Amino acid sequence: MLGGAALVLAGNPEAARAEDAAWGAAREGRAAILMRHATAPGIGDPPGFRLDDCATQRLLSEAGRAQSRAIGELLRARGIASAQVLSSAWCRCIETAERLGLGAVAMEPVLNSFFADRSVGAAQSAALRALLRDWAEPRPLVLMTHQVNITALTGIFPASGEVLLVYTGARAGTVALRVPPPAA
């Protein structure tokens, strides 16, 4: 996963320093690890899906499960061995978050998808920005969510399994670093 990035950064010491600074901020809770769930084939959920029944939802593929574990390994390689992990209630998000292996996963409604009801997007994005602004703990924060939520907050359309390091505090939601997903 880091092969291409390492080649680019080797010729650009300033970019390497910026990347190291962003990971340092994530380790210290000054940036959150905002992530789109790993690969789950399809778009949206089947008609009539229910949050309380994973069998009715779009789920991770085997490649998505492997991708989740690889992301956890990347985070540990960057010095993040444990974190406060908050997730959308969708099964594909919960499973991705659990497979990272960074700690217990707690549900956070502000991370739930608003794909099917865009009318709540602005309010939900404001609530997510407030969560980031108010985070004051000196430890890593992982937020597992959906493309629609990340795009509304940052303007970035993330790939499945893509990680964004976004600042907490006064710069809440500002992107510090994009980390492409490992191959699924």
Side-chain angles (χ1 to χ4, degrees), residues 100-164:
L100 296 176
L102 299 176
V105 177
M107 297 310 104
E108 173 51 60
V110 74
L111 298 171
N112 287 348
S113 177
F114 53 83
F115 183 79
D117 183 4
R118 305 291 173 113
S119 70
V120 300
Q124 207 165 315
S125 294
L128 178 53
R129 188 169 272 107
L131 184 152
L132 289 165
R133 183 192 63 234
D134 296 343
W135 180 258
E137 294 189 40
R139 65 183 179 136
L141 173 63
V142 173
L143 304 172
M144 189 65 59
T145 191
H146 307 266
Q147 171 273 313
V148 67
N149 301 64
I150 294 171
T151 301
L153 181 71
T154 67
I156 293 171
F157 191 108
S160 294
E162 185 168 354
V163 171
L164 300 175

Side-chain angles (χ1 to χ4, degrees), residues 61-126:
S61 63
E62 283 304 319
R65 290 181 187 96
Q67 187 180 49
S68 301
R69 289 187 295 273
I71 295 163
E73 291 170 12
L74 165 71
L75 295 175
R76 282 184 285 287
R78 289 300 190 161
I80 299 170
S82 67
Q84 172 71 48
V85 183
L86 303 178
S87 178
S88 159
W90 269 248
C91 296
R92 58 187 172 269
C93 287
I94 295 166
E95 184 176 6
T96 301
E98 290 173 345
R99 288 178 182 277
L100 296 176
L102 299 176
V105 177
M107 297 310 104
E108 173 51 60
V110 74
L111 298 171
N112 287 348
S113 177
F114 53 83
F115 183 79
D117 183 4
R118 305 291 173 113
S119 70
V120 300
Q124 207 165 315
S125 294

